[in-house]
């Protein structure tokens, strides 16, 4: 079973802080760089441009959480590999952004970020739009360590044939319960960003993932 990719969520308030964190080896350890919603709010879409220019070979996510198709149209032009669209966005929004990304011919894709409930019909519809990736965002009402209820939710999405990325307070200690799930990626944010040595913490997480998977 492939080891899930490690994604770093750059929810900083400045590019200077983002690049400071990525330096000293973190950028070499992670597989996916996420231009986080907070960074986009503070710095705008040129943050995506800078990250793409400096890391042309890294998978890049623009976590804009789109709810309107014209937002997606503008973001696609900045060449991220993935654009996030909320599960609660209107159907035509999800369809139009995905269609535009696919038709651009650069391998760009939509990731549906799941908030609240979804149905089997939702998943079937996303697939019909050419969307195969979902982000399982652990409900904020669930406190404490990741538990079997989260594993159950992840398995349900995986069994429906989606590529699943897991997020929501994941740290080194969360990995054991997620072990051997065929996840596409695991997102770490504060557990790495707030560590004394972010690159070392990411390396520790990556090594643990390689052992567990």
């Amino acid at each position: 079973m492939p080891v899930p990719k490690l994604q770093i969520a750059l929810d900083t308030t400045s590019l200077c802080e983002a690049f400071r964190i990525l330096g000293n080896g973190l950028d070499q350890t992670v597989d996916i760089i996420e231009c986080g919603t907070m960074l986009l709010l503070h710095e705008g879409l040129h943050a995506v441009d800078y990250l793409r220019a400096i890391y042309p070979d890294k998978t890049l996510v623009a976590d804009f959480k789109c709810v309107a198709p014209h937002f997606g149209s503008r973001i696609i032009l900045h060449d991220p590999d993935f654009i996030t669209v909320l599960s609660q966005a209107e159907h035509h929004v999800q369809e139009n952004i995905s269609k535009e990304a696919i038709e651009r011919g650069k391998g760009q894709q939509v990731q549906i970020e799941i908030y609240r409930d979804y149905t089997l019909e939702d998943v079937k519809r996303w697939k019909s739009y050419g969307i195969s990736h979902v982000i399982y965002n652990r409900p904020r009402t669930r406190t404490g360590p990741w538990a079997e209820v989260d594993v159950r939710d992840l398995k349900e999405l995986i069994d429906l044939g989606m590529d699943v990325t897991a997020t929501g307070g994941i740290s080194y200690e969360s990995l054991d319960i997620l072990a051997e799930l065929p996840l596409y990626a695991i997102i770490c944010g504060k557990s790495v960003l707030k560590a004394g040595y972010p690159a070392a913490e990411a390396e520790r997480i990556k090594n643990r993932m390689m052992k567990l998977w």
Side-chain angles (χ1 to χ4, degrees):
M1 181 185 301
V3 178
K5 299 177 188 297
L6 178 58
Q7 179 169 329
I8 184 67
L10 293 174
D11 278 312
T12 63
T13 57
S14 74
L15 274 168
C16 288
E17 180 70 3
F19 287 125
R20 186 191 66 78
I21 291 168
L22 285 170
N24 299 316
L26 179 61
D27 51 0
Q28 299 173 33
T29 302
V30 298
D31 304 295
I32 302 172
I33 295 175
E34 173 191 323
C35 188
T37 312
M38 188 63 68
L39 182 56
L40 285 164
L41 284 171
H42 281 265
E43 295 280 12
L45 283 170
H46 71 269
V48 181
D49 296 332
Y50 279 116
L51 288 167
R52 172 50 75 215
I54 294 171
Y55 302 107
D57 299 322
K58 286 286 186 183
T59 300
L60 179 61
V61 175
D63 186 24
F64 197 82
K65 307 184 192 303
C66 289
V67 293
H70 59 283
F71 293 164
S73 296
R74 296 302 300 270
I75 296 165
I76 287 168
L77 296 177
H78 294 259
D79 292 335
D81 297 289
F82 290 104
I83 306 99
T84 62
V85 177
L86 289 182
S87 59
Q88 301 304 314
E90 294 178 280
H91 300 171
H92 76 277
V93 172
Q94 299 165 351
E95 180 178 19
N96 290 347
I97 297 176
S98 179
K99 181 180 179 181
E100 188 168 349
I102 292 168
E103 289 181 347
R104 193 159 184 249
K106 291 192 172 186
Q108 294 167 290
Q109 299 179 60
V110 162
Q111 288 180 314
I112 295 291
E113 185 159 353
I114 294 176
Y115 279 90
R116 301 200 299 271
D117 296 331
Y118 65 92
T119 67
L120 175 59
E121 291 306 311
D122 289 327
V123 177
K124 288 180 177 178
R125 189 177 62 257
W126 298 334
K127 285 184 174 181
S128 75
Y129 300 158
I131 298 170
S132 60
H133 288 254
V134 295
I135 301 169
Y136 172 81
N137 198 320
R138 189 188 191 213
R140 296 181 184 275
T141 54
R142 295 180 189 170
T143 58
W146 280 61
E148 285 299 330
V149 64
D150 302 302
V151 172
R152 182 200 65 202
D153 290 347
L154 290 166
K155 284 181 176 177
E156 182 178 71
L157 288 163
I158 292 166
D159 290 344
L160 290 171
M162 302 300 284
D163 292 326
V164 180
T165 291
T167 189
I170 297 178
S171 64
Y172 180 91
E173 289 73 24
S174 311
L175 298 175
D176 283 27
I177 196 166
L178 301 176
E180 298 187 7
L181 284 173
L183 297 168
Y184 174 77
I186 289 174
I187 300 176
C188 289
K190 291 180 181 178
S191 63
V192 170
L193 299 182
K194 299 295 185 182
Y197 298 95
E201 182 61 13
E203 188 70 32
R204 188 169 79 110
I205 290 171
K206 194 76 176 286
N207 289 338
R208 183 62 177 162
M209 287 166 63
M210 292 174 69
K211 290 179 180 178
L212 291 173
W213 272 266

